[in-house]
């Protein structure tokens, strides 16, 4: 399982999700198949982590969706964009 973070090339909004296939999932986001992200296309993956269980991936996803987790992702995005 992968926990991934994508950012909108439109307004640099960050979205965090969980998947088993990051390439397929990114294509779905960019095709507008995800209601919460379709208004902010196009998207680009800037960070992901692999987990052996869904439970551990879900816990990490919840962390990244928290205030402190989002802050860590913003730091990673700044590094990625340099």
């Amino acid at each position: 399982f992968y926990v991934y973070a994508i950012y909108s090339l439109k307004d640099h909004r960050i979205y965090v999700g969980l998947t088993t296939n990051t390439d397929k999932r990114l294509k779905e986001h960019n095709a507008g198949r995800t209601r919460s992200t379709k208004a902010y296309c196009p998207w680009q993956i800037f960070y992901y982590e692999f987990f052996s269980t869904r439970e551990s991936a879900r816990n990490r996803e919840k962390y990244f969706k928290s205030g402190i987790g989002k802050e860590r992702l913003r730091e990673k995005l700044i590094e990625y964009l340099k």
Side-chain angles (χ1 to χ4, degrees):
F1 298 91
Y2 293 91
V3 173
Y4 65 93
I6 57 178
Y7 77 100
S8 168
L9 296 174
K10 184 175 181 180
D11 68 356
H12 298 284
R13 179 181 306 261
I14 294 174
Y15 176 86
V16 177
L18 186 150
T19 188
T20 57
N21 184 329
T22 55
D23 292 333
K24 179 182 173 188
R25 190 68 178 118
L26 180 62
K27 287 177 186 172
E28 291 171 352
H29 284 293
N30 283 325
R33 293 192 196 126
T34 305
R35 187 172 46 172
S36 60
T37 62
K38 77 180 192 176
Y40 309 102
C41 292
W43 293 89
Q44 185 169 351
I45 289 182
F46 71 93
Y47 186 76
Y48 64 91
E49 294 179 2
F50 175 77
F51 295 88
S52 57
T53 67
R54 182 176 181 80
E55 181 181 3
S56 58
R58 181 72 177 119
N59 288 336
R60 188 64 165 172
E61 179 190 28
K62 285 181 181 180
Y63 167 75
F64 281 137
K65 289 183 175 184
S66 73
I68 191 75
K70 278 278 181 155
E71 208 40 54
R72 297 290 177 264
L73 284 176
R74 283 188 193 97
E75 293 168 5
K76 292 181 184 302
L77 178 58
I78 290 167
E79 285 298 314
Y80 176 82
L81 294 174
K82 284 185 178 178

